[in-house]
Amino acid sequence: MTKVLFFDIDGTLTDTHGGLPEIPAGAQRKMKELQERGYLLFLASGRPYAFIPEILTNFVGDGLNDLEMIQTVGTGVAMGNAVDELKAVSDLVCDSVHNNGLEKVLNDLFG
């Protein structure tokens, strides 16, 4: 089975708190580890589900443009800084991007 993860960019993968957008070091480490374990990692930003292969089983997002993806995938995760509408329909809500939410939820889901 192919293991695929898609990540929203702004507010999920990158932290713009206090400066230029950057991927927090903890999230970078975890993503590298997942790649080494055979996961395919992709970036998405509110892409319509029609453009995403059916193999997609997880998605992490934060905005209304992520709503369709969150509702369609097997496990939809809203960031702690996500809009309330997205949190309401997500399977999980993790910590905010400012508090390493992506790293924490990846550890919870994939060890």
Side-chain angles (χ1 to χ4, degrees):
M1 169 172 46
T2 303
K3 301 170 277 186
V4 180
L5 296 171
F6 278 72
F7 298 97
D8 180 45
I9 298 171
D10 299 322
T12 299
L13 186 59
T14 58
D15 185 359
T16 56
H17 187 67
L20 297 173
E22 64 180 76
I23 301 173
Q28 287 183 45
R29 282 190 304 275
K30 190 62 184 181
M31 291 172 70
K32 182 177 174 81
E33 175 191 318
L34 290 170
Q35 281 182 312
E36 291 169 353
R37 290 173 44 197
Y39 284 81
L40 301 176
L41 307 178
F42 294 92
L43 302 179
S45 185
R47 305 286 186 249
Y49 184 71
F51 294 102
I52 306 300
E54 290 183 15
I55 197 167
L56 177 61
T57 59
N58 303 287
F59 185 83
V60 181
D62 70 320
L64 287 176
N65 60 332
D66 300 320
L67 195 59
E68 184 178 7
M69 291 289 287
I70 289 284
Q71 292 175 310
T72 306
V73 299
T75 303
V77 181
M79 296 297 292
N81 50 284
V83 296
D84 289 337
E85 295 88 345
L86 193 68
K87 290 178 183 178
V89 299
S90 295
D91 299 301
L92 301 170
V93 177
C94 67
D95 211 339
S96 73
V97 66
H98 311 299
N99 292 318
N100 296 313
L102 183 60
E103 177 188 12
K104 292 174 184 176
V105 76
L106 290 177
N107 277 321
D108 290 345
L109 291 173
F110 304 104

